Amino acid sequence: MDFRLSELTQQVAHTARDFAQQHIKPHVMEWDETQEFPVHIFKELGHMGMMGVFVPHEYGGAGLSYFEYKVVIEEIAKVCGSIGLSVAAHNSLCTGHVLLFANEEQKKKYLPKLATAEWIGAWGLTEANTGSDAGNMKCTAVRDGNDWVINGTKNWITHGKSGNVAVVICRTGEPRVKNNSTAFIVEMGTKGFTAGKKENKLGMRASETAELIFDNCRIPDASRLGDVGDGFRQAMKVLDGGRISIASLALGIAKGAYEAALKYSQERYQFDKPISSFQGISFKLADMATEIQAAELLTLQACDLKNRGEYVTKVAAMAKYYASEVSVKVANDAVQIFGGYGYTKDFPVEKHYRDAKLCTIGEGTSEIQKIVISREELKK
């Protein structure tokens, strides 16, 4: 594998970095405190092609690869994990699901709006009592002639209130039976489809998380994505890419925390020396830099496999698991290097510390990643 970033990838990274510094950084703590979901920022990113990174030009997207996607998420997350998370969820979950499994008519209808962020997308798999146990979901879709009637709720849904359209995986068979779920695309405003409670979170507070509520929501069979019973398989395929998203997000948060800690350690003096000259601090920095580099290599490997259309499940799980755990550790060490200042909201590492934890939970917990990895290893 060639580890050199192409000129295109570098240009995309530079553009994302500049945008984050100019348009996101000045408002990070304001949005965090108020839990504002800044829709206008995503509209601007849509105009730049960053909300439809993989979508082919014919559908209004940027037509780029996972390497460009990685740097977009990473550069934004260095500044604000919340905005990075929402860009990732829109691209890889809702838009990604439509791109992978929609028919041509559905692609022409939805992808141009999603790729430009004219519409913000949501993706609904998780429920209150079925996080990792998705095969036992309670949200059902029942066939009624040429329609489907959906009842139930989805929880922890990114863009659950502000999204314009949601891909929802519903149970269409008996619980725990193979091939018992089906994916549908449902527009906000459809009768019987409403948003519920918005979550008040520890971190990622500017990335909206809310319930989706379905009460006898009737949709046509034309809203079905793929075959009846294929929903869970589709979701697992989508999550392969989603795990690369979270690995990239975690990398960005870790790098943001590390760069802030490195700079502070060279400027903060104690006993007439910069604290970076003390072994206790310099060894922390060495560990942080090494772990970030290792996480980056795993993530690049996953991107490379995905770009080439090769089997990526195990490596994507490894990248997501390792990068997210590294992000938490690096953010923790960054707060420690800042000392008392790191515990205040006047410095960025406090927010990195809160944001990082979500990476070990969302799109499959660290424990679920270990199950995926071990199963893949035991197949050998």
Side-chain angles (χ1 to χ4, degrees), residues 124-130 133-142 148-155 157 167-175 180-184 186 192-193 212-217 219:
L125 176 65
T126 304
E127 299 178 8
N129 295 310
T130 56
D133 185 17
N136 197 31
M137 66 178 70
K138 302 294 190 291
C139 185
T140 61
V142 177
W148 293 86
V149 180
I150 304 176
N151 281 287
T153 60
K154 295 291 180 178
N155 294 68
I157 308 305
V167 172
V168 186
I169 295 86
C170 304
R171 183 162 58 77
T172 50
E174 294 301 315
N180 74 341
S181 62
T182 304
F184 301 90
V186 190
F193 177 26
L212 301 179
I213 301 172
F214 298 91
D215 182 10
N216 290 318
C217 176
I219 58 171

Side-chain angles (χ1 to χ4, degrees), residues 93 123 125-126 131-133 235-248 250 298 302 311-326 357-378:
L93 298 181
W123 191 74
L125 176 65
T126 304
S132 301
D133 185 17
M236 294 304 102
K237 186 78 172 175
V238 169
L239 285 173
D240 278 346
R243 285 161 183 166
I244 297 174
S245 300
I246 300 299
S248 304
L298 267 174
Y311 191 66
V312 74
T313 298
K314 183 179 78 170
V315 176
M318 286 178 165
K320 194 271 186 191
Y321 165 55
Y322 188 72
S324 62
E325 293 292 337
V326 164
K357 187 58 191 169
L358 185 277
C359 296
T360 70
I361 298 169
E363 300 196 30
T365 63
S366 290
E367 291 74 19
I368 288 294
Q369 304 314 311
K370 290 181 184 181
I371 290 172
V372 172
I373 295 163
S374 62
R375 282 177 179 170
E376 291 296 314
E377 286 294 301
L378 291 166

Side-chain angles (χ1 to χ4, degrees), residues 22-23 64 68 103 120 126 182 186 197-198 212 218 230 233 242 244 258 264 269 272 279 310 325 332 334-335 348 368:
Q22 292 178 36
H23 301 285
L64 299 174
E68 287 76 52
N103 60 37
I120 301 294
T126 304
T182 304
V186 190
K197 175 189 174 187
K198 179 178 176 178
L212 301 179
R218 182 176 290 270
D230 198 38
R233 185 193 68 84
I244 297 174
Y258 172 72
Y264 180 80
Y269 274 68
D272 301 321
Q279 191 177 85
E310 296 191 17
E325 293 292 337
N332 181 63
V335 171
I368 288 294

